[in-house]
């Protein structure tokens, strides 16, 4: 069975995108969200952690994100977390119009179904509806994520060499993106 068929058989039915409350983030931190982050790092995503990422450390990160970030999750009909994205609002007086998209991850078994695009769209729509007019993000240069962001109308602002280490510890370039809302 190929990966796409395996993923669809593991997650039958429609996947819904839902903003989680801080309590829901804390409740899901030790299970679904931690497993999602560990899977992302294990599959090579440069999301701020080195491999191997311990489940406890991933859960602690999500617990710390509760309330500090807006979090959306892609949930299958059984409530399993298949993907997530966070929105960080700038708290500086001169930056309250902008936010940062961070930690957009989709479980490797659920990739190729448009979940990343749907998660990103949900965060963008919420940002615009709550008064943000500019979003920024960064991602590893030449990563699959770049195709997603460019396809969703994000603009390259520039590239910084040796900006962050990938999960294996190798320094990689990072591309900065922005998107004007509304």
């Amino acid at each position: 069975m190929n990966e796409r068929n395996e993923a669809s058989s593991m997650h039958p039915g429609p996947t819904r995108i839902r903003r989680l409350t801080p309590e829901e983030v804390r409740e899901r931190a030790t299970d679904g969200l931690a497993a999602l982050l560990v899977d992302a790092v294990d599959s090579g995503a440069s999301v701020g952690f080195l491999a191997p990422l311990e489940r406890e450390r991933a859960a602690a990160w999500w617990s710390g994100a509760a309330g500090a970030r807006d979090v959306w999750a892609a949930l299958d009909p059984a409530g399993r977390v298949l993907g997530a994205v966070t929105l960080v609002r700038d708290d500086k007086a001169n930056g309250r119009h902008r936010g940062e998209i961070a930690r957009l991850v989709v479980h490797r078994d659920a990739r190729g179904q448009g979940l990343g695009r749907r998660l990103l769209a949900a965060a963008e729509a919420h940002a615009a509806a709550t008064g943000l007019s500019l979003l920024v993000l960064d991602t590893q240069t030449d990563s699959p994520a770049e195709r997603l962001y460019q396809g969703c109308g994000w603009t390259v602002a520039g590239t910084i060499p040796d900006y962050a280490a990938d999960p294996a510890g190798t320094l990689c370039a990072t591309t900065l993106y922005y998107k004007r809302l509304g």
Side-chain angles (χ1 to χ4, degrees):
M1 188 181 309
N2 69 31
E3 270 186 31
R4 180 173 241 143
N5 289 341
E6 185 176 316
S8 62
S9 68
M10 290 175 61
H11 314 290
T15 300
R16 59 188 158 79
I17 306 298
R18 191 163 67 77
R19 184 171 171 224
L20 302 179
T21 67
E23 295 76 27
E24 289 173 314
V25 172
R26 282 189 285 277
E27 289 168 6
R28 292 176 180 270
T30 57
D31 289 323
L33 290 170
L36 177 67
L37 195 52
V38 168
D39 175 73
V41 173
D42 285 351
S43 62
S46 182
V47 290
F49 299 94
L50 298 177
L53 176 59
E54 301 83 19
R55 192 178 188 106
E56 297 77 23
R57 183 152 184 234
W61 186 85
W62 281 109
S63 292
R69 298 166 179 249
D70 292 323
V71 178
W72 287 263
L75 304 169
D76 74 4
R80 290 177 294 209
V81 178
L82 304 179
V85 65
T86 71
L87 170 66
V88 183
R89 294 173 176 280
D90 196 312
D91 62 355
K92 296 177 201 73
N94 69 347
R96 292 193 180 124
H97 66 288
R98 70 177 180 255
E100 178 184 4
I101 296 293
R103 302 292 190 293
L104 174 57
V105 292
V106 174
H107 193 280
R108 71 179 104 190
D109 292 338
R111 292 182 189 151
Q113 300 175 33
L115 295 182
R117 182 177 294 271
R118 290 176 56 207
L119 284 160
L120 186 59
E124 290 174 2
H126 178 79
T130 57
L132 298 185
S133 60
L134 179 68
L135 292 176
V136 297
L137 62 81
D138 66 84
T139 193
Q140 184 177 335
T141 303
D142 297 326
S143 70
E146 282 201 289
R147 287 189 302 279
L148 169 67
Y149 299 131
Q150 290 170 7
C152 290
W154 286 72
T155 302
V156 173
T159 300
I160 303 170
D162 296 336
Y163 183 78
D166 67 10
T170 304
L171 291 178
C172 299
T174 292
T175 302
L176 307 174
Y177 285 85
Y178 70 92
K179 187 170 189 180
R180 293 178 191 265
L181 303 175

